[in-house]
Amino acid sequence: MPDVIINGPEGRLEGRYQHNKSPNAPIALMLQPHPQHGGTMNNKVVYTLFHAFARQGFSVLRFNFRGVGRSQGVFDRGEGELSDAASALDWLQTINENASACWIAGFSFGAWIGMQLLMRRPEINGFVSIAPPANMHDFTFLAPCPSSGLILQGDQDDIVPEPSVAKLVDKLSSQRGIAIDYRVLNGAGHFFGDQMDELNTHLDDYLNKTLKDGDQTAVAR
């Protein structure tokens, strides 16, 4: 899994990239939790996401937002981090010009950034959001939401309460043509401590079903 350096808006961005050698392999970008609360690309949830997509034949990139690890710059309240994510996706697309599909996945703060990127990049045709901070940030920009996806949440989350995420899911699910697979993990807190295996199982199950039955059937095996 090679280290990569990406040219970001404020300098270099540090990343980890796993390439799938199959022709037209799909791509997926992973986004980290909040940089000011210890979030990095090596967070366990992000790491789990990364390998779940890699198992499904994706070329996968995770990276540190500005000011985290070896990435240059300073925290920019989400605006700069959205620009970082766009630059990372540009890099991923340049390396994989013939990708058959494009997905975005994020955890907590990264889920918020990911959903904003989803609205700006029509080539993204699938998403996974884990513990999206619906109690902290306004998600009304998802009107209409351009893609169906998976949302995972713990029922014991004391940072992002489950009812706030359920309300977001209801709003998205009411939109025409949008199917949100909402899965609540019993006993799981915000960081899914002892539920990481269960989280992994849900990711595998959703990706298997969606890639088999949906538009992303070109995933290389």
Side-chain angles (χ1 to χ4, degrees), residues 2-195:
D3 296 351
V4 295
I5 296 296
I6 299 162
N7 291 324
E10 293 297 316
R12 69 170 180 264
L13 295 171
E14 173 190 19
R16 300 285 186 277
Y17 174 64
Q18 185 160 321
H19 185 71
N20 186 288
K21 295 181 180 180
S22 300
N24 306 321
I27 57 175
L29 178 66
M30 314 288 106
L31 300 178
Q32 66 168 81
H34 205 296
Q36 293 192 313
H37 300 288
T40 78
M41 66 176 175
N42 295 320
N43 170 273
K44 288 183 179 181
V45 175
V46 177
Y47 183 87
T48 298
L49 278 167
F50 184 94
H51 286 283
F53 276 92
R55 284 194 300 274
Q56 295 292 336
F58 284 74
S59 290
V60 194
L61 173 68
R62 69 184 196 267
F63 74 98
N64 280 327
F65 287 130
R66 58 184 63 194
V68 178
R70 294 188 292 152
S71 293
Q72 295 177 315
V74 295
F75 179 69
D76 193 32
R77 301 168 300 172
E79 295 178 14
E81 287 71 25
L82 178 56
S83 295
D84 293 344
S87 293
L89 184 57
D90 288 343
W91 182 91
L92 188 56
Q93 290 176 316
T94 299
I95 301 297
N96 300 274
E97 293 182 351
N98 298 313
S100 59
C102 178
W103 283 58
I104 189 88
F107 169 42
S108 194
F109 175 85
W112 178 55
I113 298 297
M115 297 303 275
Q116 292 180 72
L117 191 62
L118 177 70
M119 291 297 295
R120 289 163 171 77
R121 302 291 285 263
E123 67 269 28
I124 299 174
N125 45 16
F127 73 86
V128 175
S129 287
I130 299 181
N135 60 321
M136 303 178 193
H137 297 289
D138 185 1
F139 280 79
T140 57
F141 59 83
L142 291 167
C145 181
S147 174
S148 297
L150 170 68
I151 296 181
L152 288 163
Q153 177 67 29
D155 71 344
Q156 299 300 311
D157 192 329
D158 58 359
I159 296 176
V160 178
E162 189 277 329
S164 68
V165 179
K167 187 176 180 180
L168 170 63
V169 171
D170 287 343
K171 289 182 178 179
L172 296 180
S173 297
S174 68
Q175 298 181 18
R176 175 183 287 185
I178 296 300
I180 304 298
D181 190 333
Y182 182 45
R183 306 190 184 192
V184 179
L185 279 66
N186 294 327
H190 188 66
F191 296 100
F192 298 88
D194 293 333
Q195 285 80 23

